[in-house]
Short mmCIF file of all heavy atoms in Angstrom, two decimals:
data_model
loop_
_atom_site.label_atom_id
_atom_site.label_comp_id
_atom_site.label_asym_id
_atom_site.label_seq_id
_atom_site.Cartn_x
_atom_site.Cartn_y
_atom_site.Cartn_z
N GLY A 8 -3.93 20.30 -2.13
CA GLY A 8 -4.83 20.88 -3.13
C GLY A 8 -5.84 19.85 -3.61
O GLY A 8 -6.15 19.78 -4.80
N THR A 10 -8.98 19.72 -3.28
CA THR A 10 -10.29 20.25 -3.71
C THR A 10 -10.23 20.88 -5.10
O THR A 10 -11.25 21.37 -5.59
CB THR A 10 -10.82 21.28 -2.69
OG1 THR A 10 -9.77 22.22 -2.43
CG2 THR A 10 -11.23 20.62 -1.39
N GLY A 11 -9.07 20.89 -5.73
CA GLY A 11 -8.95 21.51 -7.05
C GLY A 11 -9.15 20.52 -8.18
O GLY A 11 -9.49 19.35 -7.95
N SER A 12 -8.91 20.98 -9.38
CA SER A 12 -9.10 20.17 -10.58
C SER A 12 -8.17 18.94 -10.58
O SER A 12 -8.61 17.79 -10.74
CB SER A 12 -8.86 21.07 -11.80
OG SER A 12 -8.68 20.32 -12.95
N ILE A 13 -6.87 19.15 -10.36
CA ILE A 13 -5.92 18.04 -10.30
C ILE A 13 -6.20 17.17 -9.07
O ILE A 13 -6.20 15.94 -9.15
CB ILE A 13 -4.46 18.57 -10.24
CG1 ILE A 13 -4.07 19.24 -11.55
CG2 ILE A 13 -3.48 17.45 -9.89
CD1 ILE A 13 -3.78 18.32 -12.69
N TYR A 36 -8.35 24.67 0.60
CA TYR A 36 -8.10 26.03 1.08
C TYR A 36 -9.41 26.69 1.52
O TYR A 36 -9.63 26.95 2.70
CB TYR A 36 -7.40 26.83 -0.01
CG TYR A 36 -6.95 28.19 0.43
CD1 TYR A 36 -5.97 28.32 1.41
CD2 TYR A 36 -7.50 29.35 -0.12
CE1 TYR A 36 -5.54 29.57 1.83
CE2 TYR A 36 -7.07 30.59 0.29
CZ TYR A 36 -6.10 30.70 1.27
OH TYR A 36 -5.68 31.93 1.66
N SER A 37 -10.32 26.88 0.57
CA SER A 37 -11.57 27.58 0.90
C SER A 37 -12.81 26.69 0.72
O SER A 37 -13.87 27.01 1.22
CB SER A 37 -11.70 28.82 0.01
OG SER A 37 -11.70 28.43 -1.35
N ASN A 38 -12.68 25.59 0.00
CA ASN A 38 -13.86 24.78 -0.32
C ASN A 38 -14.14 23.77 0.80
O ASN A 38 -13.83 22.58 0.71
CB ASN A 38 -13.65 24.07 -1.66
CG ASN A 38 -14.94 23.53 -2.24
OD1 ASN A 38 -15.91 23.34 -1.51
ND2 ASN A 38 -14.95 23.29 -3.54
N ALA A 96 -0.64 19.77 -5.81
CA ALA A 96 -1.68 20.22 -6.76
C ALA A 96 -2.30 21.53 -6.31
O ALA A 96 -3.47 21.79 -6.56
CB ALA A 96 -2.74 19.13 -6.89
N ILE A 97 -1.48 22.34 -5.65
CA ILE A 97 -1.92 23.68 -5.27
C ILE A 97 -1.63 24.59 -6.45
O ILE A 97 -0.74 24.32 -7.24
CB ILE A 97 -1.14 24.13 -4.02
CG1 ILE A 97 -1.67 23.34 -2.83
CG2 ILE A 97 -1.26 25.61 -3.78
CD1 ILE A 97 -0.80 23.47 -1.65
N ALA A 119 2.53 18.69 -9.79
CA ALA A 119 1.63 19.38 -10.71
C ALA A 119 1.88 20.87 -10.63
O ALA A 119 1.79 21.59 -11.62
CB ALA A 119 0.18 19.07 -10.37
N LYS A 121 3.45 23.64 -11.14
CA LYS A 121 4.59 24.08 -11.95
C LYS A 121 5.20 25.38 -11.46
O LYS A 121 6.38 25.64 -11.64
CB LYS A 121 4.17 24.20 -13.42
CG LYS A 121 3.20 25.30 -13.72
CD LYS A 121 2.68 25.21 -15.14
CE LYS A 121 1.51 24.27 -15.23
NZ LYS A 121 1.03 24.00 -16.57
N GLU A 122 4.36 26.24 -10.81
CA GLU A 122 4.87 27.54 -10.35
C GLU A 122 6.05 27.37 -9.40
O GLU A 122 6.97 28.20 -9.38
CB GLU A 122 3.75 28.35 -9.67
CG GLU A 122 2.62 28.78 -10.61
CD GLU A 122 1.47 27.75 -10.71
OE1 GLU A 122 1.69 26.57 -10.33
OE2 GLU A 122 0.38 28.13 -11.16
N ASP A 147 2.43 17.56 -14.86
CA ASP A 147 2.03 18.42 -15.98
C ASP A 147 2.10 17.54 -17.24
O ASP A 147 3.11 16.83 -17.44
CB ASP A 147 3.03 19.59 -16.07
CG ASP A 147 2.40 20.82 -16.69
OD1 ASP A 147 1.27 20.71 -17.23
OD2 ASP A 147 3.04 21.89 -16.63
N MET A 201 -9.85 22.75 -16.41
CA MET A 201 -8.81 22.98 -15.39
C MET A 201 -9.24 24.11 -14.46
O MET A 201 -10.28 24.73 -14.66
CB MET A 201 -7.50 23.40 -16.08
CG MET A 201 -7.07 22.51 -17.23
SD MET A 201 -5.53 23.02 -18.00
CE MET A 201 -6.05 24.44 -18.94
N GLY A 202 -8.43 24.38 -13.44
CA GLY A 202 -8.70 25.49 -12.53
C GLY A 202 -8.66 26.83 -13.28
O GLY A 202 -8.18 26.91 -14.41
N MET A 263 -5.91 14.40 -17.44
CA MET A 263 -4.81 14.46 -16.47
C MET A 263 -4.69 13.20 -15.61
O MET A 263 -3.68 13.02 -14.93
CB MET A 263 -4.97 15.69 -15.57
CG MET A 263 -4.74 17.02 -16.27
SD MET A 263 -3.18 17.09 -17.16
CE MET A 263 -1.99 16.97 -15.83
P1 NDP B 401 -7.41 24.62 -8.93
O1 NDP B 401 -7.59 26.08 -8.82
O2 NDP B 401 -8.51 23.80 -9.50
O3 NDP B 401 -7.06 24.02 -7.47
C1 NDP B 401 -6.13 24.62 -6.63
C2 NDP B 401 -6.07 23.90 -5.29
O4 NDP B 401 -5.20 24.62 -4.43
C3 NDP B 401 -7.41 23.82 -4.56
O5 NDP B 401 -7.44 22.66 -3.77
C4 NDP B 401 -7.38 25.06 -3.68
O6 NDP B 401 -8.23 24.97 -2.54
C5 NDP B 401 -5.92 25.08 -3.26
N1 NDP B 401 -5.43 26.42 -2.94
C6 NDP B 401 -5.66 27.56 -3.61
N2 NDP B 401 -5.03 28.59 -3.00
C7 NDP B 401 -4.38 28.09 -1.94
C8 NDP B 401 -3.58 28.66 -0.89
N3 NDP B 401 -3.30 29.96 -0.85
N4 NDP B 401 -3.09 27.84 0.05
C9 NDP B 401 -3.35 26.51 0.03
N5 NDP B 401 -4.12 25.92 -0.92
C10 NDP B 401 -4.62 26.70 -1.88
O7 NDP B 401 -6.06 24.38 -9.73
P2 NDP B 401 -5.65 23.17 -10.70
O8 NDP B 401 -5.98 21.87 -10.06
O9 NDP B 401 -6.13 23.44 -12.05
O10 NDP B 401 -4.08 23.35 -10.75
C11 NDP B 401 -3.24 22.99 -9.65
C12 NDP B 401 -1.78 23.03 -10.11
O11 NDP B 401 -1.59 22.07 -11.11
C13 NDP B 401 -1.36 24.38 -10.72
O12 NDP B 401 -0.04 24.64 -10.40
C14 NDP B 401 -1.50 24.14 -12.21
O13 NDP B 401 -0.64 24.95 -12.96
C15 NDP B 401 -1.10 22.68 -12.30
N6 NDP B 401 -1.63 21.98 -13.44
C16 NDP B 401 -2.99 21.82 -13.60
C17 NDP B 401 -3.52 21.16 -14.68
C18 NDP B 401 -4.99 20.93 -14.80
O14 NDP B 401 -5.42 20.19 -15.69
N7 NDP B 401 -5.84 21.49 -13.97
C19 NDP B 401 -2.65 20.63 -15.74
C20 NDP B 401 -1.25 20.79 -15.46
C21 NDP B 401 -0.78 21.45 -14.36
P3 NDP B 401 -9.80 25.47 -2.55
O15 NDP B 401 -10.35 25.12 -3.89
O16 NDP B 401 -10.39 24.64 -1.43
O17 NDP B 401 -9.81 26.91 -2.26
#
Side-chain angles (χ1 to χ4, degrees):
T10 50
S12 164
I13 292 285
Y36 187 65
S37 60
N38 196 339
I97 288 167
K121 68 189 85 186
E122 294 89 343
D147 207 350
M201 311 180 285
M263 290 308 295

